[in-house]
Amino acid sequence: MPRREAARLLAKVLGQIEAHGLSHVAAAVAAALTTGTPILRALTPAASAAAGAAVDVPPGLQGITVGSGCAADYDGGLTEVRA
C-alpha cells in the first residue's frame, strides 16, 4: 500500500474512533481482519440502517417537500463572483 493511501486510511480509522469510540472500532477492525473484509467497509454503517432511521420533524415542517439539488444549480452563483 502506498504511503499516502495508508495515511488516508489511518486518518479515516482515527475519525471513526473519535466518532464511535475505540472499543467499537477495534471490534470492527478485528472482525474485518478475520473475515478479509476491507477495513473501511467494515467501519461504514449499512445503507439500509441509515435509510431506516426515523427523524422527528416538527409539525410545521412536515408538509414541506424539498427536491434534491445538483451541482449545476450553483453554477450561476459561482460565475457571478468577481475577485
Side-chain angles (χ1 to χ4, degrees):
M1 174 180 299
R3 210 176 243 190
R4 193 173 273 188
E5 185 178 343
R8 287 184 185 130
L9 175 62
L10 178 60
K12 289 179 181 182
V13 170
L14 292 174
Q16 289 292 316
I17 291 171
E18 183 178 18
H20 302 289
L22 179 59
S23 60
H24 170 77
V25 173
V29 170
L33 293 173
T34 301
T35 62
T37 302
I39 292 173
L40 288 181
R41 181 173 294 160
L43 294 175
T44 304
S48 60
V55 176
D56 291 330
V57 178
L61 300 176
Q62 290 178 358
I64 299 173
T65 302
V66 179
S68 63
C70 67
D73 294 342
Y74 303 98
D75 287 347
L78 294 172
T79 57
E80 294 172 7
V81 176
R82 293 191 173 99

